[in-house]
Amino acid sequence: MHKKDIQKINKNTYFYKDDSGVTLYFDLSFIYESTRLNDLKADILSKYMCTINSIYKTRKDIDDKRRELYNIGLSSYSSNYDKDSLLYFTFNIIDPKAVKDDYFDDAIEFISDIFYKPYFIDGKLDHDRLDTIKKDIYNVYINMVKEFNYDSYNRYKKVVQKEAISNRFLYDSKEELEEELNSITDKDLIDFYNMLLESHYKTVFVGNYTKEQINKVLSKFKFKNSINKKVDYEVTINLKSEYNEYISKDYSQSILYFTYNIKDRKKFSNKCYSMINNHMLNSGNGLLMEILRTKYGLVYSSMSYISPDTGIFAIEAYIDRKNKDKTIEAIKELFSDLHNKKIIDEKLKYAKSKIKETVYLSDELPSNVFGKVNSYIYRDDLTDSGLIRKINQITTNDILELFDNLENENIYFYVGDKDE
Amino acid sequence: MNRFKKIVLDNGIRLYVHGDKTMKKYSVSYTVDYGSSGEFYKFNYDGKDYEVLPGCAHFLEHMLLEQSKYGNLYHYFKDLNYFANATTDLQSTSFYFTGTKKVKSSIYKLIDSLENPVFDTKAIKEVSPAIEEETKIFDNRPEVQAMLLSLLDSYKGFNFEHESLSPIGTEETTKMLDYDMLKLCYDAFYSDDRKIIVITGPLDETDMINYIKRIYSKIRKHKNKTKLFIPDDLVSVRKREDKLVKNTVESDMLIINYKEQLKDFSVFEINSYLNYLYNYKFSAKTNFYEDNKKDGILLFNYGIDVFYAFQNEIKSLFNMNFYFYITDKDKFIKAFEKEIKINKFDEKDFELYKRARLSDILVSDEDKYHYYNCLANNIILYREEIDYVDSIKNLSYDRFIEFYNSLKLDNRVITLLTKEG
């Protein structure tokens, strides 16, 4: 994916022509003030729009139409930051040429109906559907924050974000979430929808579209206001230097979790951080596996995370509880290696060669291309050539400095106490 | 869509090769039809009966490459920037890598390591601790454990049962595996007729086939001297059963497992028609789903799995598992059994399903390398002789009805995973 190939069709609309696959991607995004209540409204409303409609009055009607249109993809998600949130609608259309069926106009008509003809009848929504959506959100949330969650991402959210962002994303209790869900009225959701129509942010096309096809889409989706604003993706989390222990009677395996604030999170771009994490620390040749698994046999699985958005660096190790002290010693050894010029030199060299190959290969999958185009358009992330240039500039001293500047060591030990 | 050239080598190894100059990477897999399920625990090798512990196939998967004559072969692969890994499933063990350079010499090293193992007691001790930790992963994931539980149920009645819920064994059984047992399993199951090699990439097919032939011309043949104990009646040997298992689930999970054998249907057909049956009757868009949710009996469904036993010997034997998170077991089972037996379908809906399935296939084929994920098994099961797109177009409503009417829906095991305490 090259920057020069991204066409700017108008102020907020972009197109990247990719003829390697059969999927035509198209996404619309909207910007709104980031509050917990707004995020909840966005979640409910977008799910509602994708599952009931004033033309397709039941979920089955929508599903049948989707299948008729070769499983046309409708999905939505929101990304939430300190001040702004973004709600995305993504539509995937199978290229009519691939199925030898000229159904593109029908597909766009359907997407337009989904977007512009929500089921708001006389200021009312369908409450059966709405209740189901609310119940689903509730169940997913409860599952996500259950006390001892082994899913890495959710645990990360729970542990790090809950401690640090004082409930910006999480609720104190099931009752609090239930109360907030129930407080949202039909009028709130209709107002939120109308607000979205005035808050278009960007439109992105990726795939083997013809000019005519893009024009057809744009003629259906016209927004009076498209907002030009730089979203601030950073979230501030200040960890406390402390040690915490949680005991679970449900599990036998334990997790040791080390987290740190990165002093200068702007030091590298997102993609460079991810190269350091994926190829110097996490890969089969990374330091974690080398020390914790190969050298000491303490783990089968161990991961590290670097998040420039939150400014957090974390290491987790799944261990037997009796190996806690040994693992802490091994992680100290790992940190000593992260300050060792010779070792960092060798790991950085490996990571650079690996990332170049990854970049070279990554355009083979259309969904990767879509992701890369989006991260460039939304986050001003590096394009492939920019990334190669940047990583060539990273020196061993830069990496040493990064690990020298970790602060606020915060350790969690989840003790799996099932069989004790 | 990739089309493979199939060759059977002199020793019986099946080789699949596909060359495509537009690909940037090579993808190589070596699969042996030896997995972690019950039928491999008791067997006759070279005239003698043996019984081994669970986890042997998985332990060998780790050891053969991590303790090879080249040292840890994964380190060599990683130095070449490959993605390399191995997996053990119920029926097979696969070793695979993708990469761009020095592929021929890597293929040589892979084959040499697997055909000429050098492991000993010391190597076993070195590999063991990480595997002991790996066995606990299943303990931490109730949903995965539920699936494994059902899988083990599939083999009930005719072979080996072990109290371990994990087909890769437990910490204790892993510690008990010794050289003699592992060597026996290697000799018994790494026979040439069980092996399949798949190679794709920007290669010349004839050249690659000749290269593999040359490698094997210098490797001794590994004949099959193993007999598995497989009963004649594969279905009714298992008894109908309802059971309850205490676990760490947040909500009760119900697994309904049926065992069936349909000799007149291909695996492709079985897979497609079952998929449709599930979609039509139980998926989130159905009245069944909505009604039971509304009544508070069903929380959400967790999908369906189909597992084929003895894929080489008898492809048509299969187990299907339906998973649901529920609140009231008795009411839900009653509703489910009523629904699955209602012989009423909709031809128009079936045609819509075909369109959706075609789209799924086209999208999955966007990834030229998904074969390395599917590995040999899926090529053999689904794609060896067929053109997938045409095959979907050839699925018919009448044939689906025939399929549905052939299901006995009788031999079932129901397992309720419920919260401890």
Side-chain angles (χ1 to χ4, degrees):
Chain A
M1 195 275 286
H2 300 286
K3 191 175 164 182
K4 64 177 171 48
D5 297 326
I6 297 177
Q7 300 170 37
K8 195 165 179 178
I9 293 180
N10 61 41
K11 196 171 72 169
N12 292 49
T13 304
Y14 302 83
F15 169 43
Y16 183 83
K17 190 165 178 81
D18 175 29
D19 59 5
S20 65
V22 296
T23 310
L24 306 175
Y25 294 94
F26 151 46
D27 79 15
L28 296 170
S29 60
F30 302 87
I31 189 164
Y32 60 89
E33 186 195 353
S34 187
T35 67
R36 196 171 71 179
L37 189 62
N38 274 347
D39 293 340
L40 208 51
K41 286 182 202 168
D43 201 8
I44 297 169
L45 177 69
S46 58
K47 284 186 168 72
Y48 184 79
M49 288 166 70
C50 291
T51 51
I52 188 168
N53 182 274
S54 61
I55 309 277
Y56 306 98
K57 291 196 169 62
T58 66
R59 192 172 174 156
K60 186 175 182 316
D61 290 345
I62 289 193
D63 191 72
D64 284 354
K65 189 67 190 175
R66 284 188 51 217
R67 289 189 297 161
E68 188 189 319
L69 299 169
Y70 299 93
N71 240 8
I72 193 165
L74 310 175
S75 59
S76 64
Y77 68 97
S78 60
S79 302
N80 324 119
Y81 306 97
D82 261 0
K83 295 190 181 66
D84 298 302
S85 288
L86 293 174
L87 175 63
Y88 302 81
F89 288 89
T90 302
F91 307 103
N92 308 343
I93 305 162
I94 297 291
D95 192 334
K97 289 193 285 295
V99 288
K100 296 177 189 155
D101 184 355
D102 189 12
Y103 74 105
F104 189 79
D105 289 1
D106 280 355
I108 298 306
E109 192 65 37
F110 173 67
I111 293 172
S112 161
D113 287 342
I114 289 294
F115 193 76
Y116 285 112
K117 294 175 182 165
Y119 189 95
F120 299 156
I121 307 289
D122 301 329
K124 294 272 175 225
L125 277 69
D126 180 292
H127 276 252
D128 277 354
R129 186 91 286 274
L130 208 54
D131 288 348
T132 308
I133 290 169
K134 285 182 179 179
K135 249 185 226 167
D136 285 346
I137 290 173
Y138 178 83
N139 285 333
V140 167
Y141 186 87
I142 296 306
N143 195 39
M144 187 179 98
V145 296
K146 63 187 177 189
E147 270 314 302
F148 197 74
N149 198 316
Y150 264 86
D151 175 84
S152 295
Y153 175 69
N154 287 331
R155 191 179 54 258
Y156 173 80
K157 269 186 114 161
K158 177 178 163 58
V159 173
V160 179
Q161 297 193 345
K162 184 169 185 180
E163 295 285 329
I165 320 176
S166 55
N167 291 338
R168 162 64 181 78
F169 295 102
L170 296 163
Y171 295 85
D172 272 341
S173 64
K174 296 175 185 181
E175 290 73 25
E176 195 189 358
L177 167 64
E178 208 167 11
E179 201 178 302
E180 196 143 297
L181 278 168
N182 290 334
S183 75
I184 295 171
T185 63
D186 290 5
K187 184 175 178 309
D188 289 339
L189 292 170
I190 294 170
D191 288 348
F192 194 81
Y193 172 78
N194 289 326
M195 182 276 294
L196 286 184
L197 293 182
E198 301 295 319
S199 319
H200 171 248
Y201 189 55
K202 285 176 181 175
T203 301
V204 180
F205 296 94
V206 176
N208 196 18
Y209 282 95
T210 62
K211 218 178 204 174
E212 294 70 37
Q213 285 173 327
I214 289 192
N215 287 337
K216 270 181 192 164
V217 179
L218 292 178
S219 69
K220 285 278 177 193
F221 295 87
K222 289 180 179 157
F223 298 99
K224 273 183 247 161
N225 296 320
S226 282
I227 293 170
N228 264 334
K229 184 180 181 186
K230 211 169 166 59
V231 171
D232 182 5
Y233 292 98
E234 281 188 8
V235 175
T236 300
I237 294 177
N238 291 313
L239 295 170
K240 290 179 219 142
S241 293
E242 60 186 16
Y243 172 85
N244 287 296
E245 220 171 83
Y246 297 94
I247 294 179
S248 168
K249 293 281 177 196
D250 288 344
Y251 297 98
S252 57
Q253 199 174 28
S254 303
I255 314 175
L256 195 57
Y257 204 74
F258 281 68
T259 54
Y260 301 87
N261 280 122
I262 302 167
K263 217 172 185 177
D264 178 13
R265 68 171 101 165
K266 288 192 176 18
K267 186 173 178 62
F268 303 113
S269 72
N270 282 6
K271 283 188 176 172
C272 291
Y273 273 119
S274 110
M275 174 198 80
I276 294 165
N277 192 49
N278 294 343
H279 301 306
M280 295 182 71
L281 296 165
N282 264 330
S283 71
N285 269 6
L287 274 171
L288 261 66
M289 279 290 118
E290 221 165 69
I291 294 177
L292 299 179
R293 180 160 155 181
T294 311
K295 189 165 176 187
Y296 293 112
L298 291 164
V299 301
Y300 169 73
S301 170
S302 174
M303 293 286 283
S304 64
Y305 307 87
I306 302 180
S307 161
D309 283 350
T310 54
I312 297 283
F313 170 66
I315 289 177
E316 67 179 6
Y318 290 75
I319 60 170
D320 188 308
R321 65 180 296 185
K322 71 175 186 296
N323 289 331
K324 182 186 102 177
D325 293 339
K326 279 188 200 161
T327 312
I328 289 176
E329 283 308 306
I331 289 175
K332 278 185 188 159
E333 185 178 327
L334 179 109
F335 274 101
S336 132
D337 283 0
L338 290 173
H339 293 90
N340 182 319
K341 199 168 188 305
K342 199 175 153 216
I343 292 171
I344 293 297
D345 220 23
E346 182 199 316
K347 293 287 165 202
L348 181 61
K349 205 170 141 201
Y350 168 78
K352 283 184 176 182
S353 71
K354 186 78 190 163
I355 193 78
K356 282 174 197 164
E357 184 168 309
T358 308
V359 168
Y360 164 71
L361 295 170
S362 61
D363 281 357
E364 285 200 285
L365 196 59
S367 57
N368 281 351
V369 175
F370 178 63
K372 283 203 284 185
V373 171
N374 267 3
S375 84
Y376 170 75
I377 289 168
Y378 284 99
R379 307 210 42 159
D380 209 10
D381 225 335
L382 295 168
T383 58
D384 293 347
S385 48
L387 174 63
I388 300 292
R389 216 172 27 251
K390 277 274 180 207
I391 62 158
N392 280 334
Q393 289 164 2
I394 296 177
T395 65
T396 301
N397 282 341
D398 288 333
I399 306 289
L400 290 169
E401 208 175 292
L402 165 72
F403 292 114
D404 270 344
N405 285 315
L406 297 176
E407 54 190 12
N408 306 330
E409 180 178 83
N410 192 312
I411 304 173
Y412 292 86
F413 185 44
Y414 290 84
V415 187
D417 196 26
K418 188 178 178 185
D419 298 318
E420 301 297 316
Chain B
M1 198 188 82
N2 295 3
R3 304 294 300 172
F4 286 87
K5 193 173 222 175
K6 179 185 175 184
I7 302 286
V8 180
L9 303 180
D10 290 346
N11 54 12
I13 291 179
R14 286 156 285 165
L15 170 66
Y16 290 79
V17 174
H18 171 72
D20 175 352
K21 299 288 179 193
T22 69
M23 294 170 91
K24 291 178 178 176
K25 280 185 287 190
Y26 294 83
S27 143
V28 176
S29 71
Y30 175 112
T31 298
V32 55
D33 286 335
Y34 169 44
S36 57
S37 69
E39 78 261 28
F40 299 111
Y41 296 175
K42 264 187 198 169
F43 53 88
N44 181 292
Y45 173 65
D46 209 8
K48 271 178 82 178
D49 289 353
Y50 292 97
E51 182 172 329
V52 296
L53 290 165
C56 290
H58 176 250
F59 204 103
L60 282 171
E61 173 226 301
H62 274 263
M63 199 163 49
L64 292 173
L65 294 196
E66 287 174 27
Q67 298 285 340
S68 80
K69 61 163 71 170
Y70 303 99
N72 188 331
L73 200 62
Y74 291 110
H75 291 173
Y76 171 79
F77 288 154
K78 276 154 194 164
D79 285 341
L80 290 169
N81 284 346
Y82 287 6
F83 172 77
N85 207 344
T87 55
T88 306
D89 63 27
L90 288 167
Q91 299 287 332
S92 63
T93 308
S94 292
F95 306 85
Y96 47 93
F97 66 79
T98 55
T100 55
K101 53 193 173 196
K102 292 190 179 173
V103 172
K104 275 191 173 172
S105 66
S106 296
I107 291 173
Y108 177 79
K109 284 190 167 73
L110 177 75
I111 291 175
D112 193 24
S113 301
L114 295 169
E115 301 294 351
N116 300 303
V118 293
F119 65 85
D120 55 15
T121 304
K122 185 171 163 274
I124 292 169
K125 276 197 176 141
E126 277 180 32
V127 169
S128 190
I131 300 175
E132 288 162 33
E133 276 310 307
E134 190 181 358
T135 59
K136 296 177 196 167
I137 288 173
F138 297 99
D139 179 45
N140 295 331
R141 295 176 183 271
E143 288 85 357
V144 176
Q145 209 175 76
M147 291 176 206
L148 293 171
L149 200 71
S150 299
L151 287 176
L152 293 179
D153 280 339
S154 311
Y155 294 94
K156 268 199 163 169
F158 65 88
N159 213 325
F160 185 96
E161 285 172 46
H162 191 269
E163 61 187 18
S164 150
L165 295 182
S166 151
I168 67 168
T170 62
E171 186 177 7
E172 289 69 36
T173 59
T174 305
K175 281 180 177 155
M176 286 158 73
L177 298 180
D178 60 16
Y179 176 81
D180 290 342
M181 196 181 285
L182 291 164
K183 179 73 169 52
L184 167 70
C185 289
Y186 178 83
D187 290 339
F189 295 112
Y190 276 67
S191 58
D192 294 334
D193 61 335
R194 290 184 171 274
K195 293 167 189 162
I196 304 160
I197 296 173
V198 181
I199 306 172
T200 64
L203 52 88
D204 180 282
E205 291 174 357
T206 310
D207 176 62
M208 187 54 81
I209 289 166
N210 288 335
Y211 181 67
I212 302 296
K213 281 181 177 169
R214 277 204 302 282
I215 294 176
Y216 273 100
S217 67
K218 290 173 195 152
I219 292 174
R220 71 174 173 85
K221 288 185 179 157
H222 192 149
K223 286 189 181 144
N224 190 348
K225 298 177 193 168
T226 305
K227 280 184 197 144
L228 297 174
F229 301 122
I230 301 173
D232 295 335
D233 183 349
L234 289 158
V235 175
S236 60
V237 71
R238 188 185 72 171
K239 301 295 170 229
R240 190 182 166 96
E241 188 184 358
D242 285 11
K243 60 185 181 171
L244 193 129
V245 176
K246 301 270 187 190
N247 209 312
T248 53
V249 282
E250 284 289 296
S251 318
D252 286 357
M253 185 195 228
L254 192 72
I255 308 133
I256 303 172
N257 171 290
Y258 288 99
K259 191 166 193 164
E260 301 278 348
Q261 186 164 18
L262 299 180
K263 291 183 177 163
D264 299 332
F265 290 83
S266 70
V267 170
F268 174 77
E269 285 182 300
I270 292 172
N271 222 29
S272 302
Y273 292 138
L274 263 184
N275 190 296
Y276 180 64
L277 179 69
Y278 174 77
N279 269 296
Y280 187 77
K281 286 192 171 287
F282 304 110
S283 69
K285 60 157 190 158
T286 58
N287 290 338
F288 173 86
Y289 182 85
E290 295 268 352
D291 292 348
N292 282 291
K293 266 192 98 164
K294 222 178 281 171
D295 293 345
I297 300 168
L298 172 66
L299 294 174
F300 56 95
N301 57 10
Y302 201 71
I304 180 176
D305 281 319
V306 189
F307 298 99
Y308 301 92
F310 307 113
Q311 55 185 263
N312 291 307
E313 286 88 351
I314 308 148
K315 284 186 179 180
S316 53
L317 181 78
F318 63 96
N319 287 274
M320 50 187 185
N321 288 336
F322 298 87
Y323 306 94
F324 301 94
Y325 281 99
I326 52 135
T327 58
D328 187 323
K329 173 181 161 251
D330 294 335
K331 276 189 188 162
F332 184 81
I333 291 173
K334 206 172 158 194
F336 177 89
E337 292 202 316
K338 186 179 168 200
E339 181 63 35
I340 201 166
K341 288 186 176 160
I342 296 174
N343 188 353
K344 196 177 152 206
F345 297 92
D346 173 354
E347 189 164 1
K348 193 174 160 243
D349 189 80
F350 185 81
E351 290 307 315
L352 292 178
Y353 161 75
K354 280 170 62 177
R355 284 187 172 216
R357 192 133 168 86
L358 177 59
S359 141
D360 289 345
I361 296 306
L362 288 169
V363 171
S364 72
D365 273 0
E366 281 185 333
D367 179 1
K368 293 172 189 164
Y369 305 94
H370 73 265
Y371 288 97
Y372 96 82
N373 287 323
C374 302
L375 298 172
N377 291 342
N378 283 8
I379 294 168
I380 307 303
L381 276 175
Y382 307 123
R383 300 200 176 196
E384 187 176 1
E385 305 294 345
I386 55 175
D387 181 302
Y388 214 98
V389 175
D390 282 350
S391 298
I392 288 169
K393 287 185 175 166
N394 290 337
L395 293 172
S396 82
Y397 180 70
D398 290 346
R399 183 83 171 141
F400 166 71
I401 295 296
E402 198 183 321
F403 165 83
Y404 176 77
N405 288 333
S406 307
L407 292 174
K408 290 195 174 66
L409 299 174
D410 179 35
N411 189 300
R412 65 131 175 85
V413 170
I414 289 181
T415 307
L416 181 74
L417 226 69
T418 189
K419 199 169 173 60
E420 271 172 325

